[in-house]
Structures are given as structure tokens and as C-alpha cells.
């Protein structure tokens, strides 16, 4: 009984840890996406400027 309870607790902790890791990955991916959008915008503006269009 005690062994089963420990096993279930261990599984619960592992699942919660996995959930937290996945949340952090989503946050990082979202931040990367925003950075990529800013880079794309800056490159687009630079390209327009380099071609003489403002």
C-alpha cells in the first residue's frame, strides 16, 4: 500500500514537472516568435530604406 502511494505520488510529481516544463517551453517559443516578427519588420524596413522608399 505504502509503495503504491509513493509510486502514485512520484507519477503525480513527474506529471506536474512535465507540465511546468511544457509551459516554460511555450513561453520561450512565444518570445522567440515575437523576436522573429520584430526582426522581419526591421529587415522589411531596411529593405525599403535601401531601395530608396520610405
Amino acid at each position: 500500500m505504502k509503495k503504491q502511494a509513493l509510486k502514485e505520488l512520484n507519477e503525480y510529481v513527474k506529471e506536474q514537472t512535465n507540465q511546468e516544463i511544457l509551459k516554460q517551453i511555450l513561453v520561450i517559443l512565444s518570445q522567440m516568435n515575437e523576436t522573429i516578427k520584430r526582426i522581419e519588420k526591421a529587415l522589411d524596413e531596411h529593405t525599403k530604406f535601401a531601395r530608396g522608399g520610405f
Side-chain angles (χ1 to χ4, degrees):
M1 185 74 175
K2 187 177 178 183
K3 190 174 183 179
Q4 180 63 26
L6 285 173
K7 184 177 178 183
E8 288 176 11
L9 178 61
N10 187 40
E11 285 298 316
Y12 174 78
V13 170
K14 191 185 309 182
E15 181 63 30
Q16 293 303 308
T17 302
N18 288 342
Q19 290 295 324
E20 285 302 314
I21 291 168
L22 290 173
K23 286 178 190 175
Q24 291 298 320
I25 289 171
L26 284 174
V27 167
I28 292 167
L29 289 173
S30 177
Q31 291 170 342
M32 289 173 63
N33 191 43
E34 289 302 313
T35 301
I36 289 169
K37 286 179 183 178
R38 286 194 294 267
I39 291 169
E40 287 175 334
K41 183 179 178 191
L43 285 172
D44 185 53
E45 290 173 1
H46 176 74
T47 301
K48 287 179 183 175
F49 177 79
R51 289 182 180 161
F54 291 91

